[in-house]
mmCIF file of all heavy atoms in Angstrom:
data_model
loop_
_atom_site.group_PDB
_atom_site.id
_atom_site.type_symbol
_atom_site.label_atom_id
_atom_site.label_comp_id
_atom_site.label_asym_id
_atom_site.label_seq_id
_atom_site.Cartn_x
_atom_site.Cartn_y
_atom_site.Cartn_z
ATOM 1 N N GLU A 18 0.826 -1.212 -0.002
ATOM 2 C CA GLU A 18 -0.003 0.005 0.005
ATOM 3 C C GLU A 18 0.858 1.257 0.001
ATOM 4 O O GLU A 18 0.407 2.321 -0.410
ATOM 5 C CB GLU A 18 -0.943 -0.002 1.213
ATOM 6 C CG GLU A 18 -2.045 -1.030 1.092
ATOM 7 C CD GLU A 18 -2.838 -1.238 2.372
ATOM 8 O OE1 GLU A 18 -2.454 -0.669 3.430
ATOM 9 O OE2 GLU A 18 -3.844 -1.967 2.330
ATOM 10 N N GLN A 19 2.101 1.126 0.449
ATOM 11 C CA GLN A 19 3.046 2.237 0.447
ATOM 12 C C GLN A 19 3.892 2.262 -0.830
ATOM 13 O O GLN A 19 4.904 2.936 -0.900
ATOM 14 C CB GLN A 19 3.958 2.170 1.681
ATOM 15 C CG GLN A 19 3.228 2.301 2.985
ATOM 16 C CD GLN A 19 4.085 1.980 4.192
ATOM 17 O OE1 GLN A 19 5.226 1.554 4.084
ATOM 18 N NE2 GLN A 19 3.514 2.178 5.378
ATOM 19 N N SER A 20 3.461 1.473 -1.815
ATOM 20 C CA SER A 20 4.101 1.384 -3.133
ATOM 21 C C SER A 20 5.501 0.781 -3.120
ATOM 22 O O SER A 20 6.314 1.040 -3.994
ATOM 23 C CB SER A 20 4.154 2.764 -3.810
ATOM 24 O OG SER A 20 2.839 3.254 -3.990
ATOM 25 N N VAL A 21 5.788 -0.037 -2.097
ATOM 26 C CA VAL A 21 7.049 -0.784 -2.090
ATOM 27 C C VAL A 21 6.905 -1.900 -3.114
ATOM 28 O O VAL A 21 5.938 -2.652 -3.073
ATOM 29 C CB VAL A 21 7.352 -1.358 -0.693
ATOM 30 C CG1 VAL A 21 8.579 -2.261 -0.732
ATOM 31 C CG2 VAL A 21 7.534 -0.227 0.300
ATOM 32 N N PRO A 22 7.825 -1.986 -4.089
ATOM 33 C CA PRO A 22 7.709 -3.015 -5.137
ATOM 34 C C PRO A 22 8.088 -4.395 -4.603
ATOM 35 O O PRO A 22 9.195 -4.874 -4.818
ATOM 36 C CB PRO A 22 8.681 -2.531 -6.218
ATOM 37 C CG PRO A 22 9.716 -1.780 -5.462
ATOM 38 C CD PRO A 22 8.996 -1.154 -4.294
ATOM 39 N N ALA A 23 7.162 -5.021 -3.911
ATOM 40 C CA ALA A 23 7.419 -6.332 -3.311
ATOM 41 C C ALA A 23 6.158 -7.168 -3.434
ATOM 42 O O ALA A 23 5.054 -6.645 -3.515
ATOM 43 C CB ALA A 23 7.829 -6.176 -1.864
ATOM 44 N N GLY A 24 6.329 -8.476 -3.425
ATOM 45 C CA GLY A 24 5.182 -9.378 -3.546
ATOM 46 C C GLY A 24 5.345 -10.571 -2.648
ATOM 47 O O GLY A 24 6.408 -10.805 -2.051
ATOM 48 N N ILE A 25 4.273 -11.351 -2.554
ATOM 49 C CA ILE A 25 4.250 -12.541 -1.716
ATOM 50 C C ILE A 25 4.246 -13.776 -2.620
ATOM 51 O O ILE A 25 3.520 -13.809 -3.616
ATOM 52 C CB ILE A 25 3.000 -12.570 -0.821
ATOM 53 C CG1 ILE A 25 3.025 -11.405 0.149
ATOM 54 C CG2 ILE A 25 2.897 -13.899 -0.071
ATOM 55 C CD1 ILE A 25 1.758 -11.292 0.997
ATOM 56 N N THR A 26 5.039 -14.759 -2.256
ATOM 57 C CA THR A 26 5.014 -16.043 -2.928
ATOM 58 C C THR A 26 4.514 -17.060 -1.926
ATOM 59 O O THR A 26 5.103 -17.233 -0.859
ATOM 60 C CB THR A 26 6.414 -16.440 -3.420
ATOM 61 O OG1 THR A 26 6.874 -15.471 -4.341
ATOM 62 C CG2 THR A 26 6.394 -17.803 -4.082
ATOM 63 N N TRP A 27 3.388 -17.708 -2.250
ATOM 64 C CA TRP A 27 2.798 -18.683 -1.334
ATOM 65 C C TRP A 27 3.213 -20.097 -1.657
ATOM 66 O O TRP A 27 3.000 -20.993 -0.865
ATOM 67 C CB TRP A 27 1.275 -18.588 -1.401
ATOM 68 C CG TRP A 27 0.738 -17.304 -0.878
ATOM 69 C CD1 TRP A 27 0.294 -16.247 -1.622
ATOM 70 C CD2 TRP A 27 0.579 -16.902 0.482
ATOM 71 N NE1 TRP A 27 -0.115 -15.224 -0.819
ATOM 72 C CE2 TRP A 27 0.039 -15.611 0.486
ATOM 73 C CE3 TRP A 27 0.837 -17.533 1.695
ATOM 74 C CZ2 TRP A 27 -0.252 -14.931 1.664
ATOM 75 C CZ3 TRP A 27 0.556 -16.841 2.860
ATOM 76 C CH2 TRP A 27 0.015 -15.573 2.837
ATOM 77 N N ASN A 28 3.765 -20.349 -2.814
ATOM 78 C CA ASN A 28 4.089 -21.709 -3.231
ATOM 79 C C ASN A 28 5.573 -21.815 -3.500
ATOM 80 O O ASN A 28 6.059 -21.150 -4.416
ATOM 81 C CB ASN A 28 3.291 -22.103 -4.454
ATOM 82 C CG ASN A 28 3.433 -23.571 -4.794
ATOM 83 O OD1 ASN A 28 3.947 -24.342 -3.998
ATOM 84 N ND2 ASN A 28 2.977 -23.942 -5.969
ATOM 85 N N PRO A 29 6.374 -22.566 -2.848
ATOM 86 C CA PRO A 29 5.959 -23.398 -1.736
ATOM 87 C C PRO A 29 5.806 -22.574 -0.463
ATOM 88 O O PRO A 29 6.621 -21.693 -0.206
ATOM 89 C CB PRO A 29 7.094 -24.411 -1.589
ATOM 90 C CG PRO A 29 8.295 -23.670 -2.085
ATOM 91 C CD PRO A 29 7.789 -22.745 -3.158
ATOM 92 N N GLY A 30 4.773 -22.844 0.272
ATOM 93 C CA GLY A 30 4.524 -22.099 1.499
ATOM 94 C C GLY A 30 5.212 -22.730 2.687
ATOM 95 O O GLY A 30 5.688 -23.842 2.635
ATOM 96 N N LEU A 31 5.236 -21.999 3.751
ATOM 97 C CA LEU A 31 5.823 -22.474 4.982
ATOM 98 C C LEU A 31 4.793 -22.320 6.078
ATOM 99 O O LEU A 31 4.231 -21.239 6.247
ATOM 100 C CB LEU A 31 7.082 -21.650 5.324
ATOM 101 C CG LEU A 31 7.772 -21.938 6.630
ATOM 102 C CD1 LEU A 31 8.363 -23.347 6.633
ATOM 103 C CD2 LEU A 31 8.862 -20.912 6.868
ATOM 104 N N SER A 32 4.525 -23.376 6.791
ATOM 105 C CA SER A 32 3.581 -23.317 7.895
ATOM 106 C C SER A 32 4.384 -23.321 9.186
ATOM 107 O O SER A 32 5.216 -24.192 9.386
ATOM 108 C CB SER A 32 2.655 -24.534 7.894
ATOM 109 O OG SER A 32 1.915 -24.570 6.720
ATOM 110 N N ASN A 33 4.140 -22.350 10.017
ATOM 111 C CA ASN A 33 4.824 -22.343 11.296
ATOM 112 C C ASN A 33 4.070 -21.530 12.326
ATOM 113 O O ASN A 33 3.194 -20.758 11.989
ATOM 114 C CB ASN A 33 6.255 -21.814 11.154
ATOM 115 C CG ASN A 33 6.311 -20.349 10.800
ATOM 116 O OD1 ASN A 33 5.303 -19.649 10.743
ATOM 117 N ND2 ASN A 33 7.480 -19.846 10.556
ATOM 118 N N SER A 34 4.422 -21.748 13.542
ATOM 119 C CA SER A 34 3.938 -20.935 14.654
ATOM 120 C C SER A 34 5.174 -20.469 15.389
ATOM 121 O O SER A 34 6.103 -21.235 15.605
ATOM 122 C CB SER A 34 3.049 -21.745 15.590
ATOM 123 O OG SER A 34 1.875 -22.124 14.935
ATOM 124 N N ASP A 35 5.193 -19.223 15.761
ATOM 125 C CA ASP A 35 6.366 -18.703 16.442
ATOM 126 C C ASP A 35 6.398 -19.126 17.906
ATOM 127 O O ASP A 35 7.456 -19.354 18.457
ATOM 128 C CB ASP A 35 6.398 -17.183 16.361
ATOM 129 C CG ASP A 35 6.749 -16.718 14.973
ATOM 130 O OD1 ASP A 35 7.180 -17.534 14.140
ATOM 131 O OD2 ASP A 35 6.613 -15.526 14.730
ATOM 132 N N ALA A 36 5.257 -19.186 18.531
ATOM 133 C CA ALA A 36 5.231 -19.507 19.954
ATOM 134 C C ALA A 36 3.842 -19.926 20.378
ATOM 135 O O ALA A 36 2.853 -19.593 19.719
ATOM 136 C CB ALA A 36 5.654 -18.295 20.763
ATOM 137 N N TRP A 37 3.781 -20.648 21.456
ATOM 138 C CA TRP A 37 2.516 -20.977 22.091
ATOM 139 C C TRP A 37 2.480 -20.228 23.410
ATOM 140 O O TRP A 37 3.487 -20.191 24.131
ATOM 141 C CB TRP A 37 2.409 -22.480 22.366
ATOM 142 C CG TRP A 37 2.240 -23.298 21.124
ATOM 143 C CD1 TRP A 37 3.213 -23.923 20.422
ATOM 144 C CD2 TRP A 37 1.022 -23.554 20.439
ATOM 145 N NE1 TRP A 37 2.695 -24.557 19.323
ATOM 146 C CE2 TRP A 37 1.339 -24.356 19.326
ATOM 147 C CE3 TRP A 37 -0.285 -23.206 20.651
ATOM 148 C CZ2 TRP A 37 0.375 -24.802 18.434
ATOM 149 C CZ3 TRP A 37 -1.261 -23.654 19.752
ATOM 150 C CH2 TRP A 37 -0.914 -24.439 18.670
ATOM 151 N N GLY A 38 1.370 -19.643 23.733
ATOM 152 C CA GLY A 38 1.253 -18.933 24.998
ATOM 153 C C GLY A 38 -0.059 -19.226 25.690
ATOM 154 O O GLY A 38 -1.082 -19.416 25.026
ATOM 155 N N ILE A 39 -0.013 -19.294 26.973
ATOM 156 C CA ILE A 39 -1.213 -19.515 27.771
ATOM 157 C C ILE A 39 -1.260 -18.367 28.777
ATOM 158 O O ILE A 39 -0.339 -18.215 29.577
ATOM 159 C CB ILE A 39 -1.176 -20.872 28.483
ATOM 160 C CG1 ILE A 39 -1.066 -21.990 27.418
ATOM 161 C CG2 ILE A 39 -2.405 -21.054 29.370
ATOM 162 C CD1 ILE A 39 -0.680 -23.330 27.970
ATOM 163 N N PRO A 40 -2.308 -17.531 28.714
ATOM 164 C CA PRO A 40 -2.371 -16.382 29.618
ATOM 165 C C PRO A 40 -2.369 -16.790 31.088
ATOM 166 O O PRO A 40 -2.952 -17.805 31.476
ATOM 167 C CB PRO A 40 -3.704 -15.722 29.259
ATOM 168 C CG PRO A 40 -4.042 -16.217 27.888
ATOM 169 C CD PRO A 40 -3.446 -17.588 27.805
ATOM 170 N N LYS A 41 -1.693 -16.024 31.886
ATOM 171 C CA LYS A 41 -1.680 -16.240 33.328
ATOM 172 C C LYS A 41 -3.113 -16.191 33.853
ATOM 173 O O LYS A 41 -3.890 -15.309 33.487
ATOM 174 C CB LYS A 41 -0.829 -15.175 34.019
ATOM 175 C CG LYS A 41 -0.661 -15.375 35.498
ATOM 176 C CD LYS A 41 0.260 -14.334 36.085
ATOM 177 C CE LYS A 41 0.450 -14.578 37.566
ATOM 178 N NZ LYS A 41 1.401 -13.614 38.147
ATOM 179 N N GLY A 42 -3.468 -17.157 34.634
ATOM 180 C CA GLY A 42 -4.827 -17.201 35.182
ATOM 181 C C GLY A 42 -5.854 -17.800 34.248
ATOM 182 O O GLY A 42 -7.062 -17.701 34.507
ATOM 183 N N ALA A 43 -5.425 -18.402 33.139
ATOM 184 C CA ALA A 43 -6.355 -19.010 32.195
ATOM 185 C C ALA A 43 -7.232 -20.029 32.904
ATOM 186 O O ALA A 43 -6.734 -20.827 33.705
ATOM 187 C CB ALA A 43 -5.601 -19.663 31.041
ATOM 188 N N GLU A 44 -8.537 -20.013 32.610
ATOM 189 C CA GLU A 44 -9.467 -20.912 33.274
ATOM 190 C C GLU A 44 -9.212 -22.374 32.927
ATOM 191 O O GLU A 44 -9.466 -23.254 33.718
ATOM 192 C CB GLU A 44 -10.907 -20.538 32.902
ATOM 193 C CG GLU A 44 -11.355 -19.223 33.466
ATOM 194 C CD GLU A 44 -12.788 -18.890 33.104
ATOM 195 O OE1 GLU A 44 -13.568 -19.814 32.818
ATOM 196 O OE2 GLU A 44 -13.121 -17.713 33.107
#
């Protein structure tokens, strides 16, 4: 949107999660 000439390539994609978190006091 800021006119940076860049694009996304989804294939081959990478699936990942950076971290798992559980809030303090979670029920």
Side-chain angles (χ1 to χ4, degrees):
E18 289 169 353
Q19 297 170 355
S20 300
V21 173
I25 296 175
T26 299
W27 294 102
N28 189 11
L31 175 66
S32 299
N33 67 5
S34 294
D35 288 348
W37 290 96
I39 300 166
K41 184 176 181 177
E44 292 181 24

